[in-house]
Amino acid sequence: QVQLVESGGGSVQAGGSLRLACAASRYAYFNKYMGWFRQAPGKEREGVAVIYTGGRWTSYADSVKGRFTISQDNAKNTVDLQMNSLQPEDTAMYYCAVRLGGTPSEVLASSSYNVWGQGTQVTVSS
């Protein structure tokens, strides 16, 4: 069974930090493209960061470069998102996703991923 479970969301003031974790079942973790996406009210879901767990290759949205870091923990089958210098515009529901099969043509496009977690809320106040 393929399952993704997010944790670590919460509320923080601007300039603060949060760390999100995505726990994956073994089949959904190794040698997969896994990513974090976010969706704010009234906006489309956007890609934040992606990692290829088979080679630690990463990609980031321009809006989070230098502030967010995606990483993997092979012992725990988790993909984490360390978020620093958070701003109110980072407020959104954050989702973990994995692509089962093949290489995504657009790694930060939500349409490239076919299994999703339930999401975790991140709220940044000014």
Side-chain angles (χ1 to χ4, degrees):
Q1 182 179 1
V2 178
Q3 190 174 15
L4 301 175
V5 179
E6 301 102 330
S7 61
S11 298
V12 66
Q13 289 191 328
S17 298
L18 284 172
R19 188 177 184 90
L20 306 182
C22 174
S25 54
R26 183 178 178 85
Y27 172 73
Y29 177 80
F30 287 101
N31 301 325
K32 297 293 192 296
Y33 287 88
M34 295 186 69
W36 283 97
F37 297 77
R38 66 186 181 187
Q39 188 167 19
K43 294 187 177 181
E44 293 188 355
R45 190 170 298 188
E46 63 173 350
V48 174
V50 170
I51 188 167
Y52 176 62
T53 60
R56 300 182 183 267
W57 172 90
T58 59
S59 181
Y60 295 91
D62 288 343
S63 59
V64 305
K65 283 180 180 177
R67 300 189 299 124
F68 291 11
T69 302
I70 190 169
S71 61
Q72 64 186 88
D73 186 331
N74 291 344
K76 298 179 180 179
N77 288 5
T78 61
V79 169
D80 297 346
L81 185 68
Q82 177 66 42
M83 304 185 294
N84 298 328
S85 302
L86 283 162
Q87 300 301 315
E89 52 265 34
D90 295 315
T91 294
M93 184 72 79
Y94 282 70
Y95 297 90
C96 178
V98 63
R99 177 181 176 88
L100 299 181
T103 301
S105 57
E106 296 182 49
V107 292
L108 289 173
S110 59
S111 58
S112 295
Y113 297 81
N114 43 22
V115 179
W116 293 83
Q118 80 287 353
T120 185
Q121 178 68 37
V122 171
T123 302
V124 184
S125 57
S126 58

